[in-house]
mmCIF file of all heavy atoms in Angstrom:
data_model
loop_
_atom_site.group_PDB
_atom_site.id
_atom_site.type_symbol
_atom_site.label_atom_id
_atom_site.label_comp_id
_atom_site.label_asym_id
_atom_site.label_seq_id
_atom_site.Cartn_x
_atom_site.Cartn_y
_atom_site.Cartn_z
ATOM 1 N N SER A 6 2.143 13.843 0.680
ATOM 2 C CA SER A 6 1.681 14.910 1.565
ATOM 3 C C SER A 6 1.223 14.350 2.909
ATOM 4 O O SER A 6 1.429 14.970 3.951
ATOM 5 C CB SER A 6 0.561 15.708 0.907
ATOM 6 O OG SER A 6 -0.541 14.849 0.649
ATOM 7 N N LEU A 7 0.623 13.163 2.912
ATOM 8 C CA LEU A 7 0.223 12.564 4.178
ATOM 9 C C LEU A 7 1.436 12.157 5.008
ATOM 10 O O LEU A 7 1.452 12.313 6.227
ATOM 11 C CB LEU A 7 -0.680 11.353 3.951
ATOM 12 C CG LEU A 7 -2.116 11.651 3.531
ATOM 13 C CD1 LEU A 7 -2.876 10.375 3.274
ATOM 14 C CD2 LEU A 7 -2.812 12.468 4.590
ATOM 15 N N MET A 8 2.432 11.637 4.343
ATOM 16 C CA MET A 8 3.619 11.227 5.084
ATOM 17 C C MET A 8 4.355 12.437 5.657
ATOM 18 O O MET A 8 4.844 12.390 6.770
ATOM 19 C CB MET A 8 4.560 10.420 4.169
ATOM 20 C CG MET A 8 4.032 9.042 3.852
ATOM 21 S SD MET A 8 5.208 8.024 3.009
ATOM 22 C CE MET A 8 5.156 8.712 1.383
ATOM 23 N N LEU A 9 4.390 13.542 4.903
ATOM 24 C CA LEU A 9 5.042 14.733 5.403
ATOM 25 C C LEU A 9 4.262 15.333 6.567
ATOM 26 O O LEU A 9 4.836 15.845 7.519
ATOM 27 C CB LEU A 9 5.211 15.764 4.298
ATOM 28 C CG LEU A 9 6.221 15.411 3.202
ATOM 29 C CD1 LEU A 9 6.211 16.473 2.120
ATOM 30 C CD2 LEU A 9 7.601 15.238 3.780
ATOM 31 N N ALA A 10 2.930 15.290 6.482
ATOM 32 C CA ALA A 10 2.113 15.836 7.551
ATOM 33 C C ALA A 10 2.282 15.032 8.831
ATOM 34 O O ALA A 10 2.270 15.577 9.926
ATOM 35 C CB ALA A 10 0.653 15.848 7.138
ATOM 36 N N GLN A 11 2.490 13.719 8.695
ATOM 37 C CA GLN A 11 2.672 12.888 9.877
ATOM 38 C C GLN A 11 4.042 13.090 10.488
ATOM 39 O O GLN A 11 4.220 12.916 11.682
ATOM 40 C CB GLN A 11 2.485 11.421 9.519
ATOM 41 C CG GLN A 11 1.054 11.080 9.168
ATOM 42 C CD GLN A 11 0.915 9.644 8.683
ATOM 43 O OE1 GLN A 11 1.908 8.955 8.469
ATOM 44 N NE2 GLN A 11 -0.332 9.225 8.487
ATOM 45 N N ALA A 12 4.983 13.477 9.683
ATOM 46 C CA ALA A 12 6.345 13.603 10.169
ATOM 47 C C ALA A 12 6.619 14.951 10.834
ATOM 48 O O ALA A 12 7.683 15.144 11.385
ATOM 49 C CB ALA A 12 7.326 13.412 9.020
ATOM 50 N N ALA A 13 5.673 15.881 10.789
ATOM 51 C CA ALA A 13 5.889 17.207 11.375
ATOM 52 C C ALA A 13 5.986 17.093 12.894
ATOM 53 O O ALA A 13 5.219 16.367 13.522
ATOM 54 C CB ALA A 13 4.759 18.147 10.994
ATOM 55 N N PRO A 14 6.940 17.802 13.503
ATOM 56 C CA PRO A 14 7.075 17.727 14.960
ATOM 57 C C PRO A 14 5.928 18.474 15.648
ATOM 58 O O PRO A 14 5.347 19.405 15.101
ATOM 59 C CB PRO A 14 8.410 18.420 15.235
ATOM 60 C CG PRO A 14 8.599 19.336 14.082
ATOM 61 C CD PRO A 14 7.961 18.636 12.901
ATOM 62 N N ALA A 15 5.594 18.092 16.822
ATOM 63 C CA ALA A 15 4.528 18.735 17.594
ATOM 64 C C ALA A 15 4.994 20.115 18.046
ATOM 65 O O ALA A 15 6.155 20.330 18.366
ATOM 66 C CB ALA A 15 4.175 17.885 18.802
ATOM 67 N N ALA A 16 4.056 21.056 18.091
ATOM 68 C CA ALA A 16 4.392 22.417 18.517
ATOM 69 C C ALA A 16 4.637 22.427 20.026
ATOM 70 O O ALA A 16 3.932 21.771 20.792
ATOM 71 C CB ALA A 16 3.267 23.365 18.174
#
Side-chain angles (χ1 to χ4, degrees):
S6 61
L7 285 177
M8 288 189 285
L9 291 176
Q11 291 174 352

